[in-house]
């Protein structure tokens, strides 16, 4: 049985559910289209269906064809996974006494662009397979009901299945990329030696090459080259090496200072909450 202890499994499930809902809606529209069709034998019907299907799959998956790599609906989930990686890596850096670097947005935008290309590829391949199944069915003299089933089979087997691979791959990749991004920035700013520890799910589905990486340490650059394989469930953890005694002392001082600031902020927040909101125009 496959395991999935990914730190972003919740994001992955929500993203997958969104795809399931969109493909389910598309299949429902297909059933209604065939049910209302008068005849399905002519080349004209094929052209009509192709135009209709193109409009509907684009509407449900590509926002009517107006979406871009920055505005597409699925970016919500990519950003959630990326943010989770930022939070996790920042906690490790703070614990090690390293000042937190500013988040570099470029890797996130690249993930969005890559995922958008993935989605457009899924739409294109789904359309091609649906049209092929439709024409073959018509050539074989199939009924409207059978044709609708053949079309919806391709929507499931091509569209929905490939969308799940996209989700499984990019959710984990987004999380890992965020960890790597913070590791690179922190190492450059602090001079600390920061490594990425590789973790697999430890089941029979783990690739042999990935099993060999389990619990091994990689530089951020090396780790970046290893992540992103289709369906990979492995995740990374940022690890700060101890360094010299002086470096440990400096990081401890930073950690102590940040904890003090954090405590002060909590105390100030409690104070202002205790006195409640002040009137806009106080009177004496």
């Amino acid at each position: 049985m496959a395991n999935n202890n990914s730190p972003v499994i919740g994001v992955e499930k929500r993203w997958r559910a969104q795809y399931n809902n969109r493909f389910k809606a598309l299949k429902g529209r297909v059933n209604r289209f065939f049910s209302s069709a008068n005849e399905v034998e002519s080349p004209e019907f094929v052209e009509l269906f192709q135009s209709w299907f193109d409009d509907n799959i684009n509407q449900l998956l590509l926002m009517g064809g107006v979406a871009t790599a920055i505005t597409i609906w699925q970016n919500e989930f990519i950003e959630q996974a990326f943010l989770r990686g930022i939070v996790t890596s920042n906690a490790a850096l703070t614990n090690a006494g390293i000042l937190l670097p500013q988040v570099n947005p470029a890797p996130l935008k690249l993930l969005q662009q890559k995922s958008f290309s993935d989605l457009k590829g899924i739409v294109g391949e789904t359309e091609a397979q649906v049209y092929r199944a439709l024409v073959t069915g018509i050539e074989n003299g199939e009924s409207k009901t059978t044709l609708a089933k053949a079309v919806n089979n391709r929507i499931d087997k091509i569209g929905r299945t490939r969308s799940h691979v996209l989700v499984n791959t990019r959710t984990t990749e987004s999380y890992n990329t965020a960890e790597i991004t913070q590791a690179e920035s922190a190492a450059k700013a602090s001079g600390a030696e920061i490594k990425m520890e590789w973790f697999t799910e430890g089941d029979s589905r783990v690739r042999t090459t990935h099993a060999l990486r389990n619990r091994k340490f990689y530089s951020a650059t090396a780790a970046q080259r290893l992540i992103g394989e289709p369906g990979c469930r492995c995740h990374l953890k940022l690890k700060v090496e101890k360094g010299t005694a002086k470096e440990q002392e400096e990081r401890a001082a930073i950690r102590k200072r940040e904890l003090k600031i954090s405590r002060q902020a909590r105390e100030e927040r409690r104070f202002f909450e205790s006195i409640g909101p002040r009137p806009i125009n106080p009177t004496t």
Side-chain angles (χ1 to χ4, degrees):
M1 184 175 177
N3 300 323
N4 198 329
N5 299 307
S6 167
V8 284
I9 184 61
V11 178
E12 181 180 319
K13 287 180 177 179
R14 291 191 295 274
W15 189 1
R16 189 186 305 119
Q18 265 288 336
Y19 265 117
N20 288 342
N21 291 338
R22 289 168 188 268
F23 281 113
K24 182 180 179 180
L26 180 60
K27 289 164 62 181
R29 294 184 187 187
V30 166
N31 287 334
R32 290 190 293 273
F33 181 88
F34 276 93
S35 178
S36 63
N38 293 323
E39 60 81 26
V40 295
E41 296 85 12
S42 67
E44 289 74 22
F45 173 80
V46 174
E47 292 180 3
L48 176 65
F49 176 81
Q50 287 178 331
S51 176
W52 175 89
F53 189 79
D54 180 69
D55 287 342
N56 278 269
I57 194 171
N58 272 278
Q59 182 186 106
L60 288 167
L61 294 179
L62 294 172
M63 300 166 63
V66 300
T68 68
I70 304 302
T71 64
I72 188 65
W73 60 270
Q74 65 180 5
N75 283 352
E76 170 190 356
F77 304 101
I78 298 170
E79 290 165 4
Q80 288 175 8
F82 190 85
L83 178 59
R84 189 71 58 83
I86 294 294
V87 170
T88 303
S89 57
N90 282 355
L93 292 171
T94 299
N95 188 55
I98 294 178
L99 289 173
L100 302 182
Q102 287 189 331
V103 178
N104 178 7
L108 174 60
K109 291 181 179 179
L110 289 173
L111 284 163
Q112 292 172 341
Q113 291 169 336
K114 183 160 52 174
S115 301
F116 186 54
S117 295
D118 291 338
L119 175 52
K120 289 194 292 184
I122 290 169
V123 170
E125 185 59 26
T126 302
E127 288 177 323
Q129 296 245 5
V130 159
Y131 302 152
R132 189 178 302 121
L134 174 64
V135 172
T136 300
I138 291 174
E139 289 173 338
N140 293 336
E142 304 289 1
S143 66
K144 292 193 298 182
T145 302
T146 303
L147 290 174
K149 287 181 179 179
V151 167
N152 282 337
N153 174 272
R154 294 295 85 195
I155 291 173
D156 270 339
K157 296 296 175 61
I158 302 301
R160 196 167 68 91
T161 299
R162 295 194 181 189
S163 74
H164 287 186
V165 176
L166 162 60
V167 170
N168 296 346
T169 304
R170 301 293 176 230
T171 309
T172 304
E173 183 183 8
S174 298
Y175 175 87
N176 288 335
T177 298
E179 288 248 358
I180 291 169
T181 298
Q182 291 300 86
E184 289 179 325
S185 298
K188 184 176 181 180
S190 68
E193 185 180 3
I194 301 176
K195 298 289 186 179
M196 309 306 301
E197 187 174 5
W198 190 283
F199 290 85
T200 72
E201 291 295 340
D203 57 29
S204 59
R205 286 184 53 200
V206 175
R207 298 171 175 88
T208 301
T209 52
H210 292 206
L212 292 171
R213 300 171 191 165
N214 192 34
R215 299 305 177 93
K216 286 189 175 181
F217 291 86
Y218 297 89
S219 68
T221 301
Q224 183 64 58
R225 294 184 181 132
L226 296 174
I227 65 172
E229 290 186 51
C232 176
R233 297 166 296 148
C234 303
H235 65 275
L236 304 173
K237 284 187 179 180
L238 183 155
K239 299 287 184 179
V240 180
E241 297 298 300
K242 290 184 178 181
T244 64
K246 182 179 179 181
E247 288 171 339
Q248 292 181 57
E249 184 179 340
E250 290 174 348
R251 290 202 291 268
I254 292 172
R255 182 164 60 252
K256 184 177 180 180
R257 184 166 64 250
E258 290 193 345
L259 288 172
K260 182 180 179 181
I261 292 170
S262 178
R263 283 195 297 270
Q264 287 175 342
R266 287 198 301 272
E267 291 170 359
E268 289 174 0
R269 186 164 58 250
R270 290 195 194 100
F271 171 74
F272 284 111
E273 288 175 350
S274 68
I275 63 176
R278 300 180 64 182
I280 297 175
N281 295 309
T283 58
T284 57

